[in-house]
Every structure is written in structure tokens, then in C-alpha cells.
PDB file of all heavy atoms in Angstrom:
ATOM      1  N   ALA A   1       0.819  -1.209   0.000  1.00 81.00           N
ATOM      2  CA  ALA A   1       0.000   0.000   0.000  1.00 81.00           C
ATOM      3  C   ALA A   1       0.854   1.261   0.000  1.00 81.00           C
ATOM      4  O   ALA A   1       2.029   1.249   0.352  1.00 81.00           O
ATOM      5  CB  ALA A   1      -0.925   0.002   1.215  1.00 81.00           C
ATOM      6  N   ASP A   2       0.215   2.360  -0.399  1.00 86.00           N
ATOM      7  CA  ASP A   2       0.848   3.681  -0.379  1.00 86.00           C
ATOM      8  C   ASP A   2       0.575   4.411   0.922  1.00 86.00           C
ATOM      9  O   ASP A   2       1.272   5.369   1.260  1.00 86.00           O
ATOM     10  CB  ASP A   2       0.330   4.520  -1.550  1.00 86.00           C
ATOM     11  CG  ASP A   2       0.608   3.853  -2.885  1.00 86.00           C
ATOM     12  OD1 ASP A   2       1.783   3.735  -3.245  1.00 86.00           O
ATOM     13  OD2 ASP A   2      -0.354   3.420  -3.543  1.00 86.00           O
ATOM     14  N   ALA A   3      -0.456   3.981   1.648  1.00 86.00           N
ATOM     15  CA  ALA A   3      -0.789   4.551   2.952  1.00 86.00           C
ATOM     16  C   ALA A   3      -1.332   3.431   3.822  1.00 86.00           C
ATOM     17  O   ALA A   3      -1.963   2.493   3.324  1.00 86.00           O
ATOM     18  CB  ALA A   3      -1.822   5.668   2.819  1.00 86.00           C
ATOM     19  N   VAL A   4      -1.064   3.526   5.118  1.00 84.00           N
ATOM     20  CA  VAL A   4      -1.479   2.473   6.056  1.00 84.00           C
ATOM     21  C   VAL A   4      -2.204   3.107   7.230  1.00 84.00           C
ATOM     22  O   VAL A   4      -1.681   4.029   7.865  1.00 84.00           O
ATOM     23  CB  VAL A   4      -0.262   1.667   6.577  1.00 84.00           C
ATOM     24  CG1 VAL A   4      -0.732   0.538   7.489  1.00 84.00           C
ATOM     25  CG2 VAL A   4       0.552   1.108   5.420  1.00 84.00           C
ATOM     26  N   ILE A   5      -3.422   2.613   7.497  1.00 86.00           N
ATOM     27  CA  ILE A   5      -4.196   3.072   8.651  1.00 86.00           C
ATOM     28  C   ILE A   5      -3.812   2.195   9.838  1.00 86.00           C
ATOM     29  O   ILE A   5      -4.030   0.979   9.815  1.00 86.00           O
ATOM     30  CB  ILE A   5      -5.700   2.991   8.365  1.00 86.00           C
ATOM     31  CG1 ILE A   5      -6.052   3.903   7.184  1.00 86.00           C
ATOM     32  CG2 ILE A   5      -6.511   3.390   9.590  1.00 86.00           C
ATOM     33  CD1 ILE A   5      -7.483   3.768   6.714  1.00 86.00           C
ATOM     34  N   MET A   6      -3.240   2.804  10.870  1.00 79.00           N
ATOM     35  CA  MET A   6      -2.643   2.040  11.964  1.00 79.00           C
ATOM     36  C   MET A   6      -3.616   1.750  13.097  1.00 79.00           C
ATOM     37  O   MET A   6      -3.236   1.117  14.079  1.00 79.00           O
ATOM     38  CB  MET A   6      -1.427   2.797  12.512  1.00 79.00           C
ATOM     39  CG  MET A   6      -0.358   3.071  11.469  1.00 79.00           C
ATOM     40  SD  MET A   6       0.208   1.577  10.603  1.00 79.00           S
ATOM     41  CE  MET A   6       0.918   0.661  11.969  1.00 79.00           C
ATOM     42  N   VAL A   7      -4.844   2.210  13.022  1.00 80.00           N
ATOM     43  CA  VAL A   7      -5.850   1.914  14.034  1.00 80.00           C
ATOM     44  C   VAL A   7      -6.981   1.137  13.376  1.00 80.00           C
ATOM     45  O   VAL A   7      -7.173   1.187  12.160  1.00 80.00           O
ATOM     46  CB  VAL A   7      -6.402   3.199  14.685  1.00 80.00           C
ATOM     47  CG1 VAL A   7      -5.330   3.879  15.511  1.00 80.00           C
ATOM     48  CG2 VAL A   7      -6.957   4.155  13.641  1.00 80.00           C
ATOM     49  N   ASP A   8      -7.728   0.415  14.202  1.00 82.00           N
ATOM     50  CA  ASP A   8      -8.780  -0.444  13.667  1.00 82.00           C
ATOM     51  C   ASP A   8     -10.048   0.370  13.427  1.00 82.00           C
ATOM     52  O   ASP A   8     -11.072   0.184  14.088  1.00 82.00           O
ATOM     53  CB  ASP A   8      -9.049  -1.590  14.641  1.00 82.00           C
ATOM     54  CG  ASP A   8      -9.951  -2.655  14.025  1.00 82.00           C
ATOM     55  OD1 ASP A   8      -9.975  -2.756  12.784  1.00 82.00           O
ATOM     56  OD2 ASP A   8     -10.635  -3.373  14.778  1.00 82.00           O
ATOM     57  N   SER A   9      -9.963   1.292  12.478  1.00 87.00           N
ATOM     58  CA  SER A   9     -11.102   2.140  12.139  1.00 87.00           C
ATOM     59  C   SER A   9     -10.976   2.590  10.698  1.00 87.00           C
ATOM     60  O   SER A   9      -9.893   2.955  10.243  1.00 87.00           O
ATOM     61  CB  SER A   9     -11.168   3.360  13.064  1.00 87.00           C
ATOM     62  OG  SER A   9     -12.149   4.270  12.612  1.00 87.00           O
ATOM     63  N   LEU A  10     -12.104   2.590   9.995  1.00 91.00           N
ATOM     64  CA  LEU A  10     -12.130   3.020   8.601  1.00 91.00           C
ATOM     65  C   LEU A  10     -12.175   4.539   8.477  1.00 91.00           C
ATOM     66  O   LEU A  10     -11.976   5.077   7.389  1.00 91.00           O
ATOM     67  CB  LEU A  10     -13.347   2.397   7.911  1.00 91.00           C
ATOM     68  CG  LEU A  10     -13.365   2.353   6.380  1.00 91.00           C
ATOM     69  CD1 LEU A  10     -12.220   1.522   5.850  1.00 91.00           C
ATOM     70  CD2 LEU A  10     -14.699   1.792   5.897  1.00 91.00           C
ATOM     71  N   ALA A  11     -12.395   5.238   9.589  1.00 92.00           N
ATOM     72  CA  ALA A  11     -12.517   6.700   9.546  1.00 92.00           C
ATOM     73  C   ALA A  11     -11.257   7.358   8.998  1.00 92.00           C
ATOM     74  O   ALA A  11     -11.321   8.450   8.427  1.00 92.00           O
ATOM     75  CB  ALA A  11     -12.829   7.238  10.945  1.00 92.00           C
ATOM     76  N   GLY A  12     -10.107   6.695   9.151  1.00 91.00           N
ATOM     77  CA  GLY A  12      -8.857   7.257   8.650  1.00 91.00           C
ATOM     78  C   GLY A  12      -8.849   7.467   7.151  1.00 91.00           C
ATOM     79  O   GLY A  12      -8.106   8.326   6.652  1.00 91.00           O
ATOM     80  N   VAL A  13      -9.656   6.715   6.408  1.00 94.00           N
ATOM     81  CA  VAL A  13      -9.702   6.871   4.952  1.00 94.00           C
ATOM     82  C   VAL A  13     -10.241   8.247   4.586  1.00 94.00           C
ATOM     83  O   VAL A  13      -9.660   8.973   3.768  1.00 94.00           O
ATOM     84  CB  VAL A  13     -10.558   5.763   4.310  1.00 94.00           C
ATOM     85  CG1 VAL A  13     -10.729   6.011   2.809  1.00 94.00           C
ATOM     86  CG2 VAL A  13      -9.937   4.396   4.552  1.00 94.00           C
ATOM     87  N   ALA A  14     -11.373   8.619   5.180  1.00 93.00           N
ATOM     88  CA  ALA A  14     -11.962   9.928   4.890  1.00 93.00           C
ATOM     89  C   ALA A  14     -11.045  11.048   5.366  1.00 93.00           C
ATOM     90  O   ALA A  14     -10.887  12.070   4.686  1.00 93.00           O
ATOM     91  CB  ALA A  14     -13.331  10.038   5.551  1.00 93.00           C
ATOM     92  N   ARG A  15     -10.432  10.867   6.539  1.00 93.00           N
ATOM     93  CA  ARG A  15      -9.519  11.894   7.047  1.00 93.00           C
ATOM     94  C   ARG A  15      -8.330  12.063   6.106  1.00 93.00           C
ATOM     95  O   ARG A  15      -7.874  13.185   5.853  1.00 93.00           O
ATOM     96  CB  ARG A  15      -9.031  11.508   8.443  1.00 93.00           C
ATOM     97  CG  ARG A  15     -10.110  11.562   9.504  1.00 93.00           C
ATOM     98  CD  ARG A  15      -9.600  11.005  10.810  1.00 93.00           C
ATOM     99  NE  ARG A  15     -10.664  10.910  11.799  1.00 93.00           N
ATOM    100  CZ  ARG A  15     -10.624  10.102  12.845  1.00 93.00           C
ATOM    101  NH1 ARG A  15      -9.580   9.310  13.030  1.00 93.00           N
ATOM    102  NH2 ARG A  15     -11.624  10.068  13.710  1.00 93.00           N
ATOM    103  N   LEU A  16      -7.811  10.950   5.593  1.00 94.00           N
ATOM    104  CA  LEU A  16      -6.659  11.009   4.697  1.00 94.00           C
ATOM    105  C   LEU A  16      -6.978  11.783   3.432  1.00 94.00           C
ATOM    106  O   LEU A  16      -6.182  12.626   2.982  1.00 94.00           O
ATOM    107  CB  LEU A  16      -6.214   9.582   4.346  1.00 94.00           C
ATOM    108  CG  LEU A  16      -5.095   9.441   3.313  1.00 94.00           C
ATOM    109  CD1 LEU A  16      -3.834  10.148   3.798  1.00 94.00           C
ATOM    110  CD2 LEU A  16      -4.817   7.979   3.030  1.00 94.00           C
ATOM    111  N   VAL A  17      -8.136  11.538   2.834  1.00 95.00           N
ATOM    112  CA  VAL A  17      -8.514  12.242   1.609  1.00 95.00           C
ATOM    113  C   VAL A  17      -8.708  13.738   1.884  1.00 95.00           C
ATOM    114  O   VAL A  17      -8.283  14.587   1.095  1.00 95.00           O
ATOM    115  CB  VAL A  17      -9.798  11.631   1.007  1.00 95.00           C
ATOM    116  CG1 VAL A  17     -10.269  12.434  -0.192  1.00 95.00           C
ATOM    117  CG2 VAL A  17      -9.541  10.180   0.585  1.00 95.00           C
ATOM    118  N   THR A  18      -9.306  14.065   3.019  1.00 93.00           N
ATOM    119  CA  THR A  18      -9.480  15.473   3.390  1.00 93.00           C
ATOM    120  C   THR A  18      -8.128  16.162   3.574  1.00 93.00           C
ATOM    121  O   THR A  18      -7.910  17.284   3.097  1.00 93.00           O
ATOM    122  CB  THR A  18     -10.305  15.579   4.690  1.00 93.00           C
ATOM    123  OG1 THR A  18     -11.590  14.995   4.481  1.00 93.00           O
ATOM    124  CG2 THR A  18     -10.471  17.027   5.111  1.00 93.00           C
ATOM    125  N   ILE A  19      -7.219  15.495   4.269  1.00 93.00           N
ATOM    126  CA  ILE A  19      -5.874  16.048   4.485  1.00 93.00           C
ATOM    127  C   ILE A  19      -5.164  16.237   3.149  1.00 93.00           C
ATOM    128  O   ILE A  19      -4.487  17.256   2.925  1.00 93.00           O
ATOM    129  CB  ILE A  19      -5.067  15.125   5.414  1.00 93.00           C
ATOM    130  CG1 ILE A  19      -5.611  15.210   6.841  1.00 93.00           C
ATOM    131  CG2 ILE A  19      -3.579  15.485   5.389  1.00 93.00           C
ATOM    132  CD1 ILE A  19      -5.047  14.170   7.779  1.00 93.00           C
ATOM    133  N   ALA A  20      -5.300  15.270   2.255  1.00 93.00           N
ATOM    134  CA  ALA A  20      -4.636  15.359   0.946  1.00 93.00           C
ATOM    135  C   ALA A  20      -5.116  16.581   0.175  1.00 93.00           C
ATOM    136  O   ALA A  20      -4.308  17.319  -0.412  1.00 93.00           O
ATOM    137  CB  ALA A  20      -4.904  14.090   0.142  1.00 93.00           C
ATOM    138  N   ARG A  21      -6.412  16.823   0.177  1.00 93.00           N
ATOM    139  CA  ARG A  21      -6.949  17.958  -0.574  1.00 93.00           C
ATOM    140  C   ARG A  21      -6.474  19.283   0.006  1.00 93.00           C
ATOM    141  O   ARG A  21      -6.101  20.199  -0.731  1.00 93.00           O
ATOM    142  CB  ARG A  21      -8.472  17.881  -0.589  1.00 93.00           C
ATOM    143  CG  ARG A  21      -8.977  16.769  -1.518  1.00 93.00           C
ATOM    144  CD  ARG A  21     -10.471  16.658  -1.513  1.00 93.00           C
ATOM    145  NE  ARG A  21     -10.887  15.658  -2.508  1.00 93.00           N
ATOM    146  CZ  ARG A  21     -11.885  14.813  -2.338  1.00 93.00           C
ATOM    147  NH1 ARG A  21     -12.587  14.832  -1.234  1.00 93.00           N
ATOM    148  NH2 ARG A  21     -12.200  13.943  -3.284  1.00 93.00           N
ATOM    149  N   GLN A  22      -6.457  19.379   1.330  1.00 92.00           N
ATOM    150  CA  GLN A  22      -5.995  20.630   1.926  1.00 92.00           C
ATOM    151  C   GLN A  22      -4.495  20.815   1.694  1.00 92.00           C
ATOM    152  O   GLN A  22      -4.023  21.923   1.436  1.00 92.00           O
ATOM    153  CB  GLN A  22      -6.281  20.657   3.416  1.00 92.00           C
ATOM    154  CG  GLN A  22      -5.996  22.039   4.012  1.00 92.00           C
ATOM    155  CD  GLN A  22      -5.596  21.996   5.474  1.00 92.00           C
ATOM    156  OE1 GLN A  22      -5.580  20.945   6.090  1.00 92.00           O
ATOM    157  NE2 GLN A  22      -5.261  23.147   6.029  1.00 92.00           N
ATOM    158  N   THR A  23      -3.730  19.718   1.777  1.00 91.00           N
ATOM    159  CA  THR A  23      -2.280  19.809   1.593  1.00 91.00           C
ATOM    160  C   THR A  23      -1.936  20.309   0.195  1.00 91.00           C
ATOM    161  O   THR A  23      -1.084  21.195   0.028  1.00 91.00           O
ATOM    162  CB  THR A  23      -1.628  18.437   1.825  1.00 91.00           C
ATOM    163  OG1 THR A  23      -1.873  18.020   3.175  1.00 91.00           O
ATOM    164  CG2 THR A  23      -0.129  18.497   1.583  1.00 91.00           C
ATOM    165  N   VAL A  24      -2.578  19.752  -0.806  1.00 90.00           N
ATOM    166  CA  VAL A  24      -2.309  20.185  -2.181  1.00 90.00           C
ATOM    167  C   VAL A  24      -2.735  21.633  -2.381  1.00 90.00           C
ATOM    168  O   VAL A  24      -2.049  22.402  -3.069  1.00 90.00           O
ATOM    169  CB  VAL A  24      -3.024  19.249  -3.182  1.00 90.00           C
ATOM    170  CG1 VAL A  24      -2.952  19.815  -4.595  1.00 90.00           C
ATOM    171  CG2 VAL A  24      -2.393  17.862  -3.148  1.00 90.00           C
ATOM    172  N   ARG A  25      -3.835  22.016  -1.771  1.00 91.00           N
ATOM    173  CA  ARG A  25      -4.287  23.417  -1.877  1.00 91.00           C
ATOM    174  C   ARG A  25      -3.241  24.358  -1.282  1.00 91.00           C
ATOM    175  O   ARG A  25      -2.893  25.391  -1.885  1.00 91.00           O
ATOM    176  CB  ARG A  25      -5.632  23.574  -1.177  1.00 91.00           C
ATOM    177  CG  ARG A  25      -6.225  24.975  -1.303  1.00 91.00           C
ATOM    178  CD  ARG A  25      -7.695  24.992  -0.894  1.00 91.00           C
ATOM    179  NE  ARG A  25      -7.893  24.560   0.480  1.00 91.00           N
ATOM    180  CZ  ARG A  25      -8.456  23.397   0.822  1.00 91.00           C
ATOM    181  NH1 ARG A  25      -8.860  22.551  -0.106  1.00 91.00           N
ATOM    182  NH2 ARG A  25      -8.615  23.079   2.083  1.00 91.00           N
TER     183      ARG A  25
END
């Protein structure tokens, strides 16, 4: 994988995409 969620929760996926969009902006 290119990214790994280290906690047992799927919420990290949405957070990662949000962070990516703000970072690129």
C-alpha cells in the first residue's frame, strides 16, 4: 500500500482524503 491506517477504524480513509486535498491546496 501507499498509505497504512494504523488503528482499527475506517474513519482514517476519509480523514486522509481530506488532508490530501488541503495539503495540495
Side-chain angles (χ1 to χ4, degrees):
D2 301 293
V4 183
I5 298 173
M6 302 306 297
V7 292
D8 190 25
S9 172
L10 198 62
V13 174
R15 291 173 186 158
L16 175 60
V17 175
T18 300
I19 289 170
R21 287 178 175 142
Q22 189 208 357
T23 298
V24 170
R25 183 166 60 251

